[in-house]
Structure formats: structure tokens, C-alpha cells
Amino acid sequence: MTQAQARGRQSQPEGPRRELPKKSRREGLRGIIKEEFGNPERRAAYYLVVPALLVIVLVAFYPIAYSVYLSFQRVLPNQPGEFVGVQNYVSMVADPSFREGFYNTVIFTVVSVSLEFFIGLAIALAINRAFRGRGLVRAAILVPWAFPTVISAAMWRLMFQDQVGIVNYVANTLGIISQPILTDQTLTLIAAILVDVWKTTPFMALLLLAGLQVIPGDVYEAARVDGANAVQRFLLITLPLLKPAILVALLFRTLDAYRVYDLFWVMSDRQLESLSTYVYKAVRVSQLNFPIGNAAAVFVFFSAFAIAIFFIKVLGMKTSTEG
Amino acid sequence: MKDGTSRNIWGSILFYLFIAVFVLVAMFPLLWVFKMSIVTRAELYASPPTILPQTFTTDSYATIFADATFQRALLNSTVIAGTTTVICLFLGSIAAYAIARLRFRFSSLFLTLILAIAFFPPVAIIAPLFLMWSAVNLNDTYWAMIIPNTVFSLPLTIWLLVAFFKELPKDLEEAAKVDGATTIQAFRKVIVPLAAPGVFTTAILTFIFAWNEFLFANTFSFTERTMPVTVAIPNFATVYTVNYGAQAAAAVVVTIPLVILVLFFQRRIVSGLTAGAVKG
């Protein structure tokens, strides 16, 4: 999904223009409309795309714009707002709960995505060959992925629980913990990271495996003939050729982890704060906080956007298959 | 490779050991929670815990299925995820057909806009949507969840369908057009039947996506009347405070249909999900 999106993004400024001769561009808007709607096939294409586009614009883009507009107002549900400038953002940054949610989200994202990447890469490298029982492995990959996050969080909460929880029992017996896991914020955050690693590492492995499988075998053959050892082959062939798949998988997982909500909400019984739980609480739990929560939502949107831009521009995520 | 054979044997043993550990870790929670759901309360609280179930009872399942909230939640989830899937497939298949098959000026711009949603944090729109739904009295209705679910499932639907449609042979459609079919007819009579397996895979993935959704459900559903299972089950922790067996049973009931779907269609699902990564 990410590839095509990036591909579309890149070809958007130059792609369509390239196809058309310069003359039709000079004809301006009227020329474009005539060209696009004069042809029945093209007209049909617009009819087919517009419904999906309309829904997306109305239910995603419009609310974001509305949200940005509201973030400069003191607005409560069912009440007229008043313009307050950046006051909401100032209050947001000053709010310890927001900062806690921000730190937790960043720690959770960085640690869980890193762990998922290294373990996922190891798994992908290990299973990148023909062997008996592939079906079983594929099932083991897909089952955690298909679980609703809240349900896996609920399941793990039962296992971390101090009365009947197996994990808590084992950790306690081994003397790793001195108190029930779910009564401590830090331990709960670690537990949440472990659950996320359990749930999404297989999926990361799946994406990386797909990337590995398109690397032609003769490249390795040639390197082996030239005397490259296993480490060299990995660093000089596998990693560079896998880079596009790695970046896609990392961006996808990073943005996913960054919006963490279900896991924290259920595992910690609403105690552990993330950016998303912070916004949620302002919308549903204490609506006096609505304007600040809305500002935080705008913050989440633009920071997620910045992460995507960072991957595409700075890390050079391959944005086009055409080259 | 001097003693290649003995090295290979040890390599294979290590490899299968690794695979076994991997499969076990991945499946462990489901198996363990399943075990919790079928044993008696005495065994559940036993310390040290038993590894294999020593007792068997269906009490936990009886409790959960007698629960009106849970029944209603299953119904709500089915309606919400089902409707979302139908709408997504309709909007998605026609848009994907245009993008995959027809040439028009803003095709790549459309695809970009639609797929940009995949990077959208859903939480960013709950505040404005909450106000919008209050204004039109949609809060605490199925539609309050179906509409945003549709928007956030559409990128996946369209992405998968574009990939499937592109694989279909173009000649058939052109033959249909030569025979006098319009673009829409060519789509309905030729593409849709041919793409049925792909559309079916997409439907399963969209359904799973919508069934698993939690944030919108937790925000826009206020009462048991509209509450899907993803919202109902975490609440069981307070309803069945110490009845961990019932909580486990509820989790199993909600997950089993997904596990069956996934196991049944695993090959297709994997090829659908990795289409992007491979082609990039």
C-alpha cells in the first residue's frame, strides 16, 4: 500500500503532465475539462472514482481541516467557540498527562518497532527457503496478526494478571518482579511492548520475507564465486537489496505503533497514557478538556505526517517503481 | 563442505527447533487462553498452574452465551463489519477498476489521495467527527462507526483490488467492448466474475479489519445497543471481575471465526498482503 501511495505522490507533479503535449496545458482548465469529459471512457472513470473519493474527502480530509480550525478556538461540544489563538497548544504542552502520553508513545514506538525489526529480520532470513511445514509457519504468522488488538490485549492481561496469570507467576517465581506486573506503570509499558512484539513481529517477518524472495539467487552465487563470506554477502547484498522492503515495513509499523491506543487502554485498564488515549479522554471522558484534546489530535496528525516525510525524503524510501 | 551431511542434519534439527519455538510462541496465548476457558475455577486458580488442562467444563461458555450484552455485541459486530465490507467492496471495486483499467488524467492523484488515508492516525479525526455526529444525531448508531470504518478500510480494499484487476487479461474486456458493451457493462459482466477470487480475499481482509476496529467503536458507541465485541469484551473485566474463565471464553469466541478464516485462506491472504512489498 505504502509503495503505491508513495509512487502516486511522486508522479503526481510530473506524471500526468508528461503524458500530455504542452499545447493542451496552455489551453487551461477548459481544455482539460473538455479532454477529460469529452471522451466517454475517461468520463466513466471519473464516475467510478468519485464516490470513493467523496467519502474520503468528507470523512477524513474535511474533519482534519475542521480539527485544525477548531484547535485555535475554545470550543465545547454543542457550544459556540471563540478564537483563542495558540492557547490550546500552550495548555497542551503544559499538561503533564500530555507529556506523559507523548513520552510513552515515543518509547513504545521506538522500542517495539526496533525489536520487531531485528527479530522479524532474523525470522525472515531463517525461513527464506523451501522446507516442510511452511503452511504451519504461515498460520503462526497470520494468527496473531488477525487477532483484534483489544482481544489480544485482554488475553495477555489475563496472563499478566496477578491471581491467575501465568506470566506473572513465572516472573514472580524467577524473582524478576517484586510486585504484580500490572500495578506498575513501567512494568505495564514493558508488558505492552512485549505484547506488541508478539503480535506484529510475524507480520514484519512476512513483509521482509516477501522482499527477500525477490532477490535473485544468482547474485549470491556470483558473490560466493568472488569469495565473499556470509557476513559480507549479508551486508553488501542482502541489506542494500532489501532496503526498499525494510523501509516500507518500518514506516508502516512506526505509524501503526505511534497511534497505539487499544493495547494501552485494555492492558492497563485505562491508566497508561498514550497520545491517542489522551485525545480519546478529552473527547469522551472529560469534555472540559475537549479543545486541548483536539489540539493534541492535530499534533498527532502532523507528527505522523512528519514521520512519513522523514522516511520518504531523508531515508530515501523508494517512492517509485518506474525509477 | 567436507562433512556436509552431518552438518546438514544438525542444521536441519536446529532449524526445525527454531520453527517449533516460533510456532509455539505465536500460538501460545490462544492455546493458553483456550485452556483457561475450559478448566474449572479451582484449576484456574491453582498454584503452580497446570500446563495441560486437568479438568473440563463448559461453564465459562454457558455464562458468556447466556449474557445478553455479549449476544448483542456479537450481532452488532457482525452488522457493523458486514455493512462496512459491502460498502467498501462497492466503492472500492469501481474505483479500483477505473484506476487499474482506464486511463484518465488524475488517476495517480486519486490513488495518492485514497492511499494517504493509510498513513492517517484515526485518532486525529475523532474529535471533529464527534462534533459532526452530534450535529446530525449519528452518535451511538451503527453508522457512526460504519462510515469512518469504511474510510479507513478503503485504502486496503482499493489497493488489493487494483492489484487483482491489473492481473486480469485485458483482451476479454476489449472483446466485450467490441461486441458493443459499455465500460460499465464490461466491468459488471466480465471483470467482476473473473475477479471474484480476488474480491473474496479482499472481502475477508476488509471484514477482519472492520471486526477488529476499536477506537471509533469506543468513541461513537455509548450503549449496549450499538456496542461491538471489541468494546464489550474489555468491559467484561469489570463485569466478571473474578470470573477469568468467562473472560477467556469470550476472547476465544470472538477470535475463533477469524482464526478459521485465516487458516482457511492463508495462502491468498499472504499473497494479497505482500503484493505491495513484492512489487516495490
Side-chain angles (χ1 to χ4, degrees):
Chain A
M1 193 175 315
T2 50
Q3 290 265 324
Q5 194 232 341
R7 190 186 312 153
R9 181 173 288 166
Q10 201 208 31
S11 53
Q12 159 198 343
E14 65 216 0
R17 273 184 221 151
R18 224 185 314 158
E19 289 163 15
L20 295 166
K22 279 227 166 86
K23 200 175 136 231
S24 81
R25 258 169 75 201
R26 249 180 266 128
E27 281 171 20
L29 198 59
R30 188 170 297 180
I32 293 172
I33 291 173
K34 207 172 162 190
E35 183 173 337
E36 294 299 299
F37 288 90
N39 174 333
E41 181 180 308
R42 291 190 171 206
R43 206 167 41 221
Y46 287 100
Y47 291 147
L48 295 176
V49 171
V50 159
L53 192 73
L54 206 64
V55 173
I56 283 170
V57 167
L58 283 180
V59 189
F61 290 100
Y62 169 71
I64 282 290
Y66 187 40
S67 188
V68 173
Y69 165 76
L70 287 179
S71 73
F72 298 106
Q73 306 220 346
R74 169 113 205 120
V75 62
L76 296 172
N78 306 318
Q79 277 174 43
E82 70 183 285
F83 183 79
V84 292
V86 295
Q87 184 53 47
N88 291 328
Y89 291 99
V90 173
S91 315
M92 172 188 95
V93 174
D95 185 353
S97 301
F98 171 80
R99 291 209 297 262
E100 193 191 320
F102 179 71
Y103 293 139
N104 285 342
T105 304
V106 171
I107 293 170
F108 174 82
T109 305
V110 171
V111 177
S112 63
V113 174
S114 313
L115 285 173
E116 284 154 26
F117 171 65
F118 288 113
I119 303 173
L121 183 62
I123 294 172
L125 288 170
I127 63 175
N128 182 25
R129 52 158 134 169
F131 61 90
R132 262 183 234 177
R134 284 196 89 116
L136 192 64
V137 170
R138 205 161 36 210
I141 285 176
L142 287 177
V143 164
W145 170 82
F147 267 45
T149 307
V150 277
I151 306 301
S152 50
M155 282 185 174
W156 280 95
R157 187 180 57 193
L158 284 171
M159 298 201 294
F160 280 114
Q161 206 272 336
D162 59 327
Q163 281 176 289
V164 295
I166 177 80
V167 179
N168 199 79
Y169 174 82
V170 171
N172 203 17
T173 312
L174 296 176
I176 302 173
I177 53 167
S178 54
Q179 54 180 327
I181 294 172
L182 297 182
T183 58
D184 180 82
Q185 288 257 321
T186 312
L187 287 177
T188 307
L189 182 59
I190 293 172
I193 289 173
L194 288 179
V195 175
D196 197 60
V197 169
W198 167 78
K199 186 169 163 50
T200 51
T201 299
F203 191 64
M204 179 77 99
L206 188 71
L207 291 179
L208 295 176
L209 181 63
L212 280 177
Q213 282 171 345
V214 292
I215 300 178
D218 42 356
V219 184
Y220 290 103
E221 251 352 282
R224 207 170 289 152
V225 170
D226 289 346
N229 63 33
V231 176
Q232 286 171 324
R233 288 201 299 270
F234 175 73
L235 291 177
L236 300 174
I237 299 177
T238 311
L239 273 188
L241 287 176
L242 196 59
K243 190 184 167 196
I246 291 177
L247 288 179
V248 169
L250 280 182
L251 173 60
F252 212 63
R253 281 297 314 139
T254 302
L255 290 178
D256 214 28
Y258 190 68
R259 59 179 83 144
V260 60
Y261 171 76
D262 323 26
L263 199 53
F264 281 18
W265 192 252
V266 175
M267 286 273 294
S268 71
D269 203 14
R270 306 163 188 211
Q271 298 309 305
L272 196 59
E273 197 83 83
S274 77
L275 286 175
S276 294
T277 63
Y278 181 80
V279 175
Y280 173 84
K281 283 179 184 168
V283 175
R284 275 299 306 274
V285 181
S286 63
Q287 291 189 334
L288 278 177
N289 239 343
F290 193 92
I292 301 172
N294 180 57
V298 173
F299 172 80
V300 172
F301 175 75
F302 283 103
S303 47
F305 193 68
I307 293 172
I309 296 293
F310 174 79
F311 269 86
I312 292 165
K313 297 284 176 204
V314 181
L315 298 182
M317 192 167 105
K318 210 166 146 206
T319 53
S320 165
T321 45
E322 288 85 38
Chain B
M1 300 263 172
K2 272 168 244 162
D3 45 45
T5 39
S6 78
R7 239 172 101 183
N8 278 347
I9 290 169
W10 282 111
S12 295
I13 290 175
L14 267 178
F15 175 73
Y16 280 102
L17 207 64
F18 170 81
I19 296 292
V21 170
F22 173 68
V23 171
L24 198 68
V25 170
M27 297 293 202
F28 177 73
L30 180 62
L31 298 175
W32 190 260
V33 172
F34 179 68
K35 186 213 123 183
M36 287 177 81
S37 73
I38 56 163
V39 300
T40 58
R41 188 173 291 204
E43 186 180 345
L44 197 57
Y45 280 91
S47 179
T50 53
I51 302 295
L52 294 172
Q54 307 296 320
T55 55
F56 177 78
T57 168
T58 53
D59 286 359
S60 301
Y61 288 92
T63 311
I64 220 64
F65 277 115
D67 185 313
T69 311
F70 187 65
Q71 289 170 5
R72 180 77 202 193
L74 280 175
L75 174 73
N76 292 341
S77 272
T78 311
V79 173
I80 294 168
T83 314
T84 303
T85 307
V86 171
I87 299 176
C88 269
L89 279 187
F90 175 70
L91 293 177
S93 63
I94 58 176
Y97 174 70
I99 291 166
R101 283 302 216 226
L102 307 176
R103 242 172 303 152
F104 60 106
R105 192 184 180 91
F106 300 107
S107 152
S108 63
L109 177 64
F110 276 131
L111 193 59
T112 306
L113 278 178
I114 289 166
L115 295 181
I117 304 297
F119 288 162
F120 237 72
V123 73
I125 63 164
I126 61 169
L129 272 189
F130 188 86
L131 297 184
M132 287 161 67
W133 291 168
S134 314
V136 292
N137 281 325
L138 269 188
N139 273 324
D140 201 26
T141 66
Y142 288 151
W143 290 107
M145 291 167 267
I146 292 170
I147 296 170
N149 279 351
T150 300
V151 170
F152 281 88
S153 311
L154 260 180
L156 179 73
T157 314
I158 292 181
W159 168 248
L160 291 171
L161 289 173
V162 166
F164 287 128
F165 287 162
K166 276 191 173 158
E167 282 169 16
L168 299 176
K170 201 152 190 182
D171 327 355
L172 286 172
E173 233 179 308
E174 264 148 25
K177 280 189 196 165
V178 169
D179 289 348
T182 63
T183 302
I184 307 285
Q185 280 171 334
F187 171 69
R188 256 192 28 226
K189 299 264 165 72
V190 179
I191 289 289
V192 170
L194 274 180
V199 172
F200 187 63
T201 308
T202 309
I204 291 174
L205 288 171
T206 310
F207 187 86
I208 292 179
F209 191 92
W211 179 273
N212 292 357
E213 204 286 325
F214 178 61
L215 176 64
F216 293 136
N218 206 23
T219 309
F220 302 126
S221 161
F222 304 164
T223 62
E224 288 173 4
R225 209 168 48 80
T226 57
M227 194 178 279
V229 278
T230 45
V231 180
I233 286 188
N235 288 346
F236 285 170
T238 37
V239 180
Y240 300 104
T241 330
V242 287
N243 193 346
Y244 297 107
Q247 292 183 44
V252 170
V253 169
V254 172
T255 322
I256 288 296
L258 299 181
V259 171
I260 291 174
L261 274 182
V262 161
L263 293 186
F264 216 73
F265 298 105
Q266 44 165 312
R267 219 175 282 259
R268 284 236 188 98
I269 292 177
V270 168
S271 61
L273 286 176
T274 53
V278 176
K279 279 175 191 147

